């Protein structure tokens, strides 16, 4: 069973063209270039939400035990590299 291992505080929302967002956030997106541009296909403007503060939990949380009627998110991405988190903090 998957568990919640961290939480974060979002940074300032960034608005821009897909090209601008790719240049700014490609290292942190968790997406390939083709996945990124397919997502923004036909769009002139997009948004990115940087991670300002990340808190990892010593004990992962089982959401089914913590939240009544928990429903998992429908969209997510697993990230294996801790350097991504460190890099997002450099955007501040």
């Amino acid at each position: 069973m998957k568990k919640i291992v961290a939480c974060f505080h979002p940074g300032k929302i960034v608005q821009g063209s897909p090209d601008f967002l790719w240049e700014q956030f490609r290292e942190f997106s968790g997406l390939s270039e083709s996945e990124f541009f397919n997502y923004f296909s036909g769009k002139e403007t997009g948004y990115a939400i940087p991670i300002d503060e990340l808190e990892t939990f010593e004990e992962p949380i089982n959401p089914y035990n913590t939240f009544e009627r928990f429903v998992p998110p429908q969209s997510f991405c697993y990230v294996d590299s801790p350097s991504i988190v460190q890099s997002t903090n450099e955007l501040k």
Side-chain angles (χ1 to χ4, degrees):
M1 175 181 308
K2 303 295 183 182
K3 295 186 179 180
I4 300 171
V5 297
C7 69
F8 71 91
H9 296 272
K12 183 179 178 184
I13 296 172
V14 178
Q15 176 183 345
S17 69
D19 288 329
F20 172 79
L21 295 176
W22 178 249
E23 288 301 315
Q24 295 296 308
F25 300 105
R26 66 176 153 212
E27 295 176 49
F28 320 114
S29 72
L31 301 171
S32 69
E33 186 173 5
S34 63
E35 289 170 326
F36 182 90
F37 284 103
N38 283 338
Y39 180 81
F40 286 108
S41 178
K43 306 292 187 246
E44 292 182 18
T45 303
Y47 299 88
I49 305 172
I51 295 173
D52 252 5
E53 298 175 34
L54 177 70
E55 178 186 351
T56 56
F57 304 139
E58 286 185 33
E59 288 290 324
I61 296 170
N62 181 337
Y64 294 99
N65 294 340
T66 306
F67 305 103
E68 189 175 324
R69 296 187 301 261
F70 175 75
V71 177
Q74 300 304 305
S75 177
F76 58 90
C77 176
Y78 290 106
V79 179
D80 294 329
S81 175
S83 65
I84 291 174
V85 174
Q86 179 182 4
S87 298
T88 57
N89 287 329
E90 295 170 3
L91 292 175
K92 294 180 188 179

